């Protein structure tokens, strides 16, 4: 009898929660009205296209369309894991992104800390503008600059030839391809990434710095004892997001900088998906299966990084 008696109370409780939620939404209706265009855009361009993921479980026929194509279950995934090129691209993607994670990730933090220590406002704005500007250049422009500077007959090799020194094949060497990816990515993204940490630094209570100055703390001590601990939650969140993107390699960068000579070290998952979709016999079901697998691994890595961050006493993405 007790479970039956509790049923109406639970319904009333659910209705009261729904009523409270509706009341709060109506109270803040102007804010939600401003959010509405963004939510509509997200629904149309981010959630509705997810219906196309069903291709990973179908044998796609163009004349039948997505919904009319026959289901094949996990057959496409079996073909994916039997392809040696996929396995190579998978490990190559992880290798490049793990190197990027541990080498490139600290640069925006260091830049933000250094800019924060500048006391001249004009110099600070100038340096911030200079370091942020590369972010707005497309990888086509950046790769064009790199090719003109580092090509076998480019600026650097021409200077080496004039000095009587041996020339270096920067762009055609497999050993220099990954370092070139790191250097160009650091140059392009560091300034933009530093903006997030500068915003976090600007929110630190200035009373902490004043108290430390009274106690005789140096600028270096303030940086390590006040600035870094206060921006640590932001660093943790950015690190978690970076771990959640380990399976995405930055297609634009690699596609524009790679060439036939570096094919063995440049075909990451994104390039592999592009090749099997557009440069060989078109198989949308196969490429969708690869993309879905990549997204699932990214999600698992994101959740694991969030869990590890919480276990270590930090703040995670999910409460």
């Amino acid at each position: 009898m007790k479970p039956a008696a509790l049923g109406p109370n639970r319904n009333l409780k659910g209705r009261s929660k729904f009523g409270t939620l509706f009341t709060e939404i109506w109270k803040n209706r102007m804010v939600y009205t401003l959010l509405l265009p963004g939510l509509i855009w997200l629904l149309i361009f981010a959630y509705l296209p997810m219906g196309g993921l069903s291709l990973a479980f179908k044998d796609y026929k163009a004349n039948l369309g997505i919904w009319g194509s026959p289901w094949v279950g996990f057959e496409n995934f079996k073909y994916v894991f039997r392809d040696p090129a996929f396995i190579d691209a998978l490990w190559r993607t992880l290798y490049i992104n793990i190197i990027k994670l541990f080498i490139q990730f600290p640069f925006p933090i260091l830049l933000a800390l250094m800019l924060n220590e500048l006391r001249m406002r004009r110099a600070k704005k100038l340096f911030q503008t200079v370091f942020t500007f590369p972010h707005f250049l497309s990888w086509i422009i950046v790769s064009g600059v790199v090719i003109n500077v580092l090509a076998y007959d480019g600026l650097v090799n021409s200077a080496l030839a004039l000095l009587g020194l041996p020339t270096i094949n920067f762009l055609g060497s497999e050993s220099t391809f990954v370092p070139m990816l790191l250097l160009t990515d650091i140059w392009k993204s560091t300034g933009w990434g530093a903006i997030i940490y500068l915003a976090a630094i600007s929110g630190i209570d200035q009373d902490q710095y004043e108290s430390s100055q009274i106690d005789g703390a140096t600028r270096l001590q303030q940086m390590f004892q006040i600035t870094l601990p206060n921006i640590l939650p932001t660093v943790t969140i950015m690190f978690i997001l970076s771990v959640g993107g380990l399976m995405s390699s930055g297609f634009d960068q690699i596609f524009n900088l790679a060439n036939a000579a570096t094919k063995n070290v440049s075909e990451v998952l994104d390039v592999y998906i592009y090749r099997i979709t557009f440069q060989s016999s078109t198989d949308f079901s196969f490429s969708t299966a690869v993309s879905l697998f990549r997204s699932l691994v990214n999600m698992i890595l994101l959740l694991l990084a969030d869990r590890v961050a919480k276990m270590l006493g930090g703040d995670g993405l999910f409460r």
Side-chain angles (χ1 to χ4, degrees):
M1 293 297 295
K2 287 185 178 180
L6 288 174
N9 292 332
R10 288 178 179 174
N11 291 334
L12 289 174
K13 188 177 180 181
R15 290 175 184 175
S16 64
K17 284 185 178 181
F18 180 78
T20 303
L21 176 63
F22 182 78
T23 302
E24 288 296 320
I25 293 175
W26 181 252
K27 186 187 299 182
N28 300 286
R29 58 187 179 276
M30 298 306 296
V31 177
Y32 285 100
T33 303
L34 291 174
L35 287 174
L36 192 60
L39 292 175
I40 294 173
W41 181 92
L42 195 67
L43 178 66
I44 294 174
F45 294 101
Y47 284 95
L48 289 182
M50 287 185 182
L53 292 175
S54 61
L55 279 177
F57 307 96
K58 292 186 172 187
D59 181 15
Y60 177 69
K61 305 293 183 183
N63 60 329
L64 298 177
I66 296 177
W67 306 117
S69 298
W71 291 91
V72 294
F74 291 94
E75 199 66 28
N76 290 313
F77 292 92
K78 293 179 182 178
Y79 292 131
V80 167
F81 288 104
R82 289 174 187 167
D83 187 3
F86 166 77
I87 303 299
D88 292 339
L90 175 63
W91 290 116
R92 196 174 296 118
T93 302
L94 289 173
Y95 168 72
I96 291 175
N97 283 344
I98 288 173
I99 291 177
K100 279 187 177 182
L101 180 64
F102 288 101
I103 294 179
Q104 182 183 342
F105 183 79
F107 276 86
I109 304 171
L110 295 173
L111 179 60
L113 292 174
M114 289 189 290
L115 289 175
N116 183 61
E117 293 303 314
L118 289 175
R119 292 296 177 257
M120 297 175 63
R121 288 190 175 183
R122 290 184 178 179
K124 185 176 181 178
K125 290 181 179 179
L126 175 63
F127 283 118
Q128 188 172 349
T129 302
V130 169
F131 286 116
T132 306
F133 175 73
H135 170 78
F136 299 98
L137 300 176
S138 69
W139 277 111
I140 297 175
I141 297 174
V142 174
S143 62
V145 173
V146 171
I147 291 170
N148 286 323
V149 173
L150 298 179
Y152 199 73
D153 56 349
L155 182 64
V156 173
N157 278 320
S158 297
L160 291 174
L162 287 174
L163 296 173
L165 298 174
T167 56
I168 303 172
N169 190 8
F170 293 102
L171 301 179
S173 173
E174 295 181 357
S175 60
T176 59
F177 183 75
V178 174
M180 184 174 61
L181 290 181
L182 286 172
L183 291 174
T184 53
D185 209 0
I186 289 171
W187 175 75
K188 192 174 187 298
S189 63
T190 297
W192 182 258
I195 293 176
I196 298 173
Y197 300 108
L198 285 170
I201 291 172
S202 66
I204 300 175
D205 188 1
Q206 295 300 310
D207 291 341
Q208 298 182 43
Y209 292 103
E210 294 174 3
S211 300
S212 65
Q213 288 175 355
I214 294 173
D215 293 336
T218 63
R219 296 274 290 275
L220 191 63
Q221 288 174 330
Q222 290 177 3
M223 181 189 297
F224 284 102
Q225 300 298 326
I226 298 175
T227 308
L228 274 176
N230 276 280
I231 68 170
L232 190 59
T234 304
V235 173
T236 303
I237 290 174
M238 296 304 296
F239 185 80
I240 293 171
L241 292 174
S242 298
V243 171
L246 280 178
M247 296 292 285
S248 303
S249 307
F251 171 79
D252 293 344
Q253 179 192 19
I254 295 177
F255 182 77
N256 285 288
L257 290 175
N259 53 63
T262 59
K263 182 181 179 181
N264 292 331
V265 294
S266 64
E267 189 173 273
V268 293
L269 270 180
D270 291 335
V271 178
Y272 172 80
I273 293 170
Y274 174 82
R275 179 175 62 81
I276 63 176
T277 305
F278 300 108
Q279 293 183 341
S280 59
S281 56
T282 303
D283 190 344
F284 292 111
S285 297
F286 187 87
S287 56
T288 304
V290 178
S291 299
L292 181 58
F293 170 78
R294 182 191 62 178
S295 300
L296 288 174
V297 173
N298 274 336
M299 184 185 70
I300 292 170
L301 289 173
L302 180 70
L303 295 175
L304 286 176
D306 179 74
R307 178 61 60 184
V308 171
K310 289 179 180 177
M311 290 174 60
L312 296 176
D315 295 326
L317 290 173
F318 310 102
R319 297 293 180 183

